[in-house]
Amino acid sequence: MARRIAAGAAYGGGSIGLLGVAAVGLVLAEVQLAKRTVGGGIAPVPPRGDGLYGLAFGRENPLLLGVLGDSTAAGQGVRRAGQTPGALLASGLAAVAERPVEVCNVALPGAQSDDLERQVTLLLADTSRMPDVCVIMIGANDVTHRMPPTESVRHLSAAVRRLRTAGAEVVVGTCPDLGTIEEVYQPLRFLARRVSRQLAAAQTIVVVEQGGRTVSLGDLLGPEFAANPREMFGVDNYHPSAEGYATASMAMLPTVCAVLGLWPESDRLDPDRDEGMLPVAKAAATAAKQAGTEVTGARAPWALLKHRRRRRLPAPHAVDETASPTEEEAEAQA
C-alpha cells in the first residue's frame, strides 16, 4: 500500500483510499465518541521556541535549525519554550556540535501537509542565511481530516526537495500512531493504527527518494507512551506532554546530528538490533511498525534501517541574543 501511495504521488495518480467503505460505516459511532473525549481539555497555545541555544559555546557562527510541520512540531501542549521539540533538539545539537544553534520554527498547529509549501517559503525567505538542517513533523492532521494520502506525500516530497535544493539536510518525523490515543476504542483504534502506519511508510519512501532521512514516530517514540499515556499526553489527551516531547526529541536527536556529520557513522549494521539494508519500501514498512527507527537512503533501491542509541538531552535554555549567559546557564549548556 505504501508503494502504491508513493507511486500515485510521483506519477499523478488519484486518491488511494486507506479504508474501505464498509470499514468507514463500522466506525462512525466510535468516531463521534472519540470527538467528544479527545481534545476535551484546553491545549495552551504553543510558546515561541525561536532563539539562540548553546551560548556556552559563544554566539558566532551558529547552526541554523528549521522546524516545520503541525502542532507537534510547534510544541502545542506545553507552556514553556524550552519544552518544545525545537528547543530540545537545539540544546542537544549544540552540546554535540559544541557550537550555538539558532532555531527558526515555522510550524503551525492544525497544519496539514499542503501547508508545507507556505512554511518552506517562509523559512527560505532570507536568502542570505539558509538552514543547515530542517526537522519536519507532519501527518496526523492529514489522517484526521481525510486528506488523500497521495496528495499528502506529494506535498511532503515537494517540501523536502525544495529544502534539499537549498542545501539543507532534512529529517522527517513520520506520521504518529493515532491508535495510541487513550480515548480511541476498538475497532477504530486498529484502523487508526493501520492508516497511520501506511501513511508513515509512504512518507518514508518519498523522503528517502528526495535525499532526506526519516525517524518513525510510531506511538510517539517508545513504549513510554503505551505504558504511561497519562504522563505522556497533555491536558487535551491528544498532544504530547513535556515528558512526551522530551522522549520524541531524544529519539530524533541522533539522526539530526548524523546528517550533519556529528554522530559516529558505522558501515557495520547490528543485526541484534534489527538493523540492515532492505529495499526502501520494505524498510519503510518495517520502520512504521517500530518507533524510533531511522531510514536513510543507500544505493537505489536500497535503504539502511538503523536503531540509534538514545542519549539524555541537556536542559534547554533559550537565551535572547543580546543577553549574556549566567554562570548556571553556561554550566548547564556545557
Side-chain angles (χ1 to χ4, degrees):
M1 177 62 75
R3 279 198 300 266
R4 290 177 58 199
I5 294 170
Y11 298 108
S15 171
I16 297 176
L18 294 178
L19 295 177
V21 176
V24 172
L26 179 64
V27 301
L28 278 179
E30 291 196 10
V31 168
Q32 296 305 315
L33 177 61
K35 284 181 178 179
R36 295 191 191 102
T37 53
V38 174
I42 300 175
V45 175
R48 295 290 297 177
D50 293 26
L52 201 61
Y53 295 80
L55 289 185
F57 306 106
R59 291 183 173 86
E60 299 298 322
N61 193 29
L63 290 167
L64 180 57
L65 168 65
V67 182
L68 309 90
D70 53 24
S71 56
T72 304
Q76 188 163 10
V78 298
R79 300 183 184 277
R80 295 171 51 194
Q83 297 171 328
T84 61
L88 293 165
L89 288 169
S91 296
L93 181 57
V96 174
E98 297 186 348
R99 58 187 287 195
V101 177
E102 182 182 352
V103 174
C104 181
N105 193 326
V106 295
L108 178 68
Q112 301 176 50
S113 292
D114 57 2
D115 190 57
L116 288 175
E117 180 179 4
R118 181 194 65 83
Q119 294 183 27
V120 172
T121 298
L122 186 62
L123 185 64
L124 301 182
D126 183 2
T127 56
S128 66
R129 182 80 193 283
M130 292 292 103
D132 296 287
V133 60
C134 294
V135 172
I136 303 175
M137 303 168 75
I138 199 82
N141 294 319
D142 295 4
V143 173
T144 58
H145 290 78
R146 294 179 293 178
M147 174 180 283
T150 50
E151 180 181 345
S152 174
V153 298
R154 187 181 301 122
H155 289 301
L156 177 60
S157 178
V160 175
R161 181 167 57 251
R162 286 183 63 191
L163 292 171
R164 293 289 293 140
T165 301
E169 300 290 345
V170 180
V171 177
V172 175
T174 56
C175 180
D177 182 355
L178 299 181
T180 60
I181 299 174
E182 196 173 27
E183 280 74 15
V184 175
Y185 304 104
Q186 298 291 5
L188 181 57
R189 180 186 294 271
F190 167 79
L191 295 172
R193 172 165 287 125
R194 180 182 176 188
V195 170
S196 303
R197 288 181 176 179
Q198 288 176 345
L199 180 57
Q203 288 176 322
T204 293
I205 293 173
V206 299
V207 169
V208 169
E209 287 176 347
Q210 298 301 330
R213 301 192 191 192
T214 63
V215 177
S216 169
L217 294 188
D219 55 359
L220 286 180
L221 299 173
E224 296 93 339
F225 277 87
N228 303 299
R230 296 189 184 278
E231 294 181 10
M232 293 296 159
F233 285 111
V235 295
D236 63 351
N237 299 318
Y238 185 80
H239 295 98
S241 65
E243 292 82 359
Y245 281 124
T247 301
S249 301
M250 184 171 60
M252 295 189 71
L253 177 62
T255 302
V256 173
C257 294
V259 297
L260 293 173
L262 302 172
W263 203 268
E265 293 276 20
S266 174
D267 294 332
R268 186 177 65 84
L269 301 173
D270 188 350
D272 292 336
R273 301 176 65 195
D274 297 323
E275 295 185 338
M277 184 176 290
L278 301 171
V280 63
K282 187 172 182 179
T286 302
K289 297 176 183 177
Q290 187 168 358
T293 303
E294 175 192 314
V295 179
T296 181
R299 186 166 51 190
W302 301 90
L304 294 174
L305 198 70
K306 295 185 178 181
H307 298 102
R308 298 186 183 275
R309 299 188 186 279
R310 303 180 186 180
R311 298 185 181 181
R312 184 175 298 277
L313 288 168
H317 291 273
V319 183
D320 185 87
E321 293 183 18
T322 61
S324 298
T326 65
E327 185 175 330
E328 290 80 11
E329 287 171 337
E331 182 179 351
Q333 289 292 342

